[in-house]
Structures are given as C-alpha cells and as structure tokens.
Amino acid sequence: MRLKSFHAPTMVEAMRLVRDALGDDAIIVATREEEGGVRLTAAIDDAEQPLLPPPSSHEPEQEPTAYGHGGRSWRREPEIDIVDLISDTLTRHGTPAGICDRLLNTIATYDTGDPVEALSGALDSIFTFQPLPHGRAPRPFMLIGPPGAGKTLTVAKLAARATLGGRKVGVITTDTVRAGGVDQLAAFTKLLKLKLLAVEDTDSLADALGVQRGVEQVLIDSAGRNPFDPDDMNDLGDLLNAADLEPVLVLPAGCDAAEAAEVGSAFRELGARRLLLTRLDMTRRLGSLLAIAYEARLSFSDISATPQVAEGLSALDAESLARLLLPSSVQHATRSAKQTGTFS
C-alpha cells in the first residue's frame, strides 16, 4: 500500500490531483484544511496503479511548484510515513502532547508499514488491558463513577452477559437515593429472572454479599459520586471497605481530556484499577480515553457502544483500541493491500 499527500488551493483541484496521480481506485484517507488550501492524503495498492503516471506525449512535463511561482498553482507532497499518519490521527482525537510524543517515539522504532500494527504495538507498550472476566470472578465488582456515567446500564449488560452464558450472577444496588435508581435496574433484573437486592448502608451491603455465596459473579451498582466532593468520596470509600470488593471505574467517552484525567485519578485513590468506557457510539474524539488511563494509571477493560442491553460490552485490547482511533479508510486500504499481497 502506498500513501501520498496532495496540497491544492481547493478541494476540487486536490481531488483532480489524486485522480491524475493515483487513478479512480485511490481511497481518500484524510482531509485537512491548511493555509492557502487543503491537503488530501490518499492510498493505493502499488500493484494496481503506478504512483505517478507518465507525462502525456501531448503536454510537456512541468516541474511541481509552490503557489504563485509559475506552472500549476499546486505542489505534490512527498510520500508520508506511518509516523505522520498516526500523528495526524492522534492530533485529530485531541490526544495530549505528552502521550502523543511517547506513542510516536515508540512507533518510530518499528519496521512496519501497517498503521494498525504500529499503533497497537505502541499502545500495548504504554497502556495495560484487563477486560472483565466472563466466568467466575474472585471478588464482587462494584461499578463506581460520577453521576450519569452509565453504571446502571453497564451492570445490566454484565448481568445479561453472565445469564445468557449460563452462569449464576448476583445483582446488588446501593443507589437507593436517586429517583428511579432501583426501579431502572429492577426492570432489567426482572427480565433476566434475577433477584435484585437493594442496600442502604455498609452493614446491609455486607449482609447482601453474604447471601450471594455460590454465584460466579456479584455485580454491585452504586450511586453517582462527585469526585471533587470529599463527603461523596468518603461515603463511597466506606461502602468499598465494607467487604473485599473490586471497584471498576465507569466513565463516558468524549469528555475534556484534562478534566477526565483528574476524575480518573480521584477514583483511583479509592482503589479503582480498571476503566470501563461508555457512550463510544456518541463520541468521535477519543483523546480523553488515553488521558484518563495514562494519568490515572488505569487498565482499559471494556467498552460500551450501544444503549441496547442485549448487545452488551466489548473487551478492549491494544489492537481494538488502535482500530477505534484510526480512520476506517486507513484500515480498509490496509486490509485491501494485505489481501492482494501488495502491502509494503
């Protein structure tokens, strides 16, 4: 696969340059407005099309020139490499500069032309991945996070996954203050033919856990907490200390990167080590996801990209995260090149 960048005063002119150089089979990978025009990055399989067609016998070959210096008012850029492509991708996602630098410095050491392979390798060297188990869990999971993060829906999805997999699961909620908090989860557990236990304090939580012995997973929903309110966090800490629990931080994608990192760090102080991300279906810029995991030293676990309970969650690893970040057009071009054996 060959990537090439073109710069022209208008989109129409840029598209014409792409067709002239790469033909009609070229795939547009990225577009970007720049001073004086636009930049298009396109991809083509080497075996299907020469990078530059020979000049017409009826038209003298012209040297590419910059704007305003004679000849055509455009310049043909040199081929871009994987580092350039991924740098543009990370910038588009609003990734903090420090994380970009670490990823790009790692990618620069790889000998590969596959952007998915390069980015996934770099992500794997910096971040950790610990999806929630499908089977027996050694400790109950308590889902924690700020209000509106999607904890209740996530508990329902985890319970559905376990039930549909033929495993015994117990469901507890501590969200007894929020209007409709218990009712929302009760509606889900009723459909799954599960008994929901609602608790209001640490003693009743310990009792509820006692009657859940023998199940393969225990899932605990919690009320949303303000990470910057000491009273909220102290109350949550008391619940977590009531038994041997594993807190799992649930946060929505698409937040401000710096703000999200501070939220993640606050919940890490209460013992959270895994990060479960929601609302991926409503988010296009994912730099905050990287910022949370990096600054708060959290492991990526699972993601939710649909409000449908039955469609559940997806485990996250380095490759799937790289695919989330990279434009689909880049991945399509890479797959096509591999299938035809022309990947370079």
Side-chain angles (χ1 to χ4, degrees):
M1 181 184 71
R2 186 78 65 174
L3 294 169
K4 192 168 182 63
S5 183
F6 300 87
H7 198 160
T10 68
M11 182 65 70
V12 172
E13 177 70 1
M15 289 296 295
R16 188 183 67 78
L17 296 178
V18 171
R19 287 195 300 271
D20 289 348
L22 302 181
D24 294 333
D25 293 330
I27 298 170
I28 302 301
V29 170
T31 63
R32 186 171 63 191
E33 293 185 2
E34 294 186 343
E35 184 177 356
V38 297
R39 181 192 296 270
L40 288 186
T41 301
I44 190 70
D45 289 351
D46 288 345
E48 293 183 1
Q49 179 76 24
L51 185 60
L52 290 174
S56 170
S57 59
H58 302 292
E59 183 178 325
E61 184 175 3
Q62 299 186 38
E63 289 294 328
T65 60
Y67 302 133
H69 292 283
R72 296 178 180 175
S73 57
W74 57 270
R75 66 173 179 262
R76 186 173 276 131
E77 299 291 336
E79 294 173 31
I80 64 173
D81 60 17
I82 294 297
V83 174
D84 291 332
L85 174 63
I86 294 177
S87 176
D88 285 346
T89 295
L90 295 174
T91 299
R92 180 173 59 83
H93 281 290
T95 309
I99 302 175
C100 285
D101 289 343
R102 284 201 61 183
L103 290 171
L104 294 174
N105 288 338
T106 302
I107 290 167
T109 66
Y110 294 159
D111 182 18
T112 178
D114 184 339
V116 175
E117 181 180 308
L119 182 54
S120 63
L123 290 168
D124 200 37
S125 71
I126 296 175
F127 297 98
T128 55
F129 300 85
Q130 288 186 296
L132 294 175
H134 284 234
R136 181 175 296 278
R139 294 191 292 166
F141 293 116
M142 176 181 277
L143 274 58
I144 63 174
K151 298 179 295 298
T152 300
L153 182 58
T154 302
V155 167
K157 290 185 175 189
L158 289 169
R161 184 172 77 178
T163 302
L164 295 174
R167 296 181 295 276
K168 293 182 178 180
V169 60
V171 183
I172 300 172
T173 180
T174 66
D175 188 7
T176 57
V177 176
R178 177 172 63 96
V182 175
D183 293 340
Q184 182 185 6
L185 189 54
F188 292 128
T189 53
K190 183 178 180 180
L191 289 173
L192 297 171
K193 298 182 179 179
L194 298 173
K195 183 178 181 180
L196 174 64
L197 300 179
V199 302
E200 297 183 356
D201 52 42
T202 55
D203 290 337
S204 53
L205 176 58
D207 292 340
L209 289 170
V211 302
Q212 296 286 7
R213 290 192 177 94
V215 302
E216 294 182 65
Q217 283 191 14
V218 178
L219 306 170
I220 308 171
D221 188 19
S222 69
R225 305 288 179 164
N226 181 350
F228 308 118
D229 184 326
D231 290 338
D232 260 16
M233 298 302 275
N234 287 336
D235 287 345
L236 179 57
D238 290 342
L239 284 172
L240 290 170
N241 291 328
D244 185 19
L245 309 173
E246 179 181 346
V248 178
L249 177 57
V250 179
L251 287 178
C255 304
D256 174 79
E259 190 81 25
E262 290 185 11
V263 171
S265 297
F267 283 103
R268 179 183 167 83
E269 292 182 6
L270 293 183
R273 295 296 181 269
R274 299 195 219 211
L275 174 64
L276 192 153
L277 298 157
T278 61
R279 300 183 188 170
L280 268 293
D281 53 326
M282 297 189 293
T283 306
R284 294 296 176 266
R285 292 172 179 81
L286 306 180
S288 63
L289 279 59
L290 302 180
I292 300 166
Y294 186 81
E295 297 295 340
R297 305 185 309 282
L298 297 169
S299 296
F300 288 111
S301 62
D302 299 74
I303 59 172
S304 171
T306 172
Q308 304 301 318
V309 173
E311 296 180 18
L313 307 167
S314 299
L316 199 61
D317 58 21
E319 182 177 343
S320 58
L321 180 55
R323 293 188 183 280
L324 282 174
L325 292 166
L326 286 166
S328 57
S329 54
V330 171
Q331 299 177 53
H332 175 74
T334 302
R335 285 195 298 269
S336 297
K338 285 184 173 180
Q339 289 169 0
T340 58
T342 59
F343 191 85
S344 61

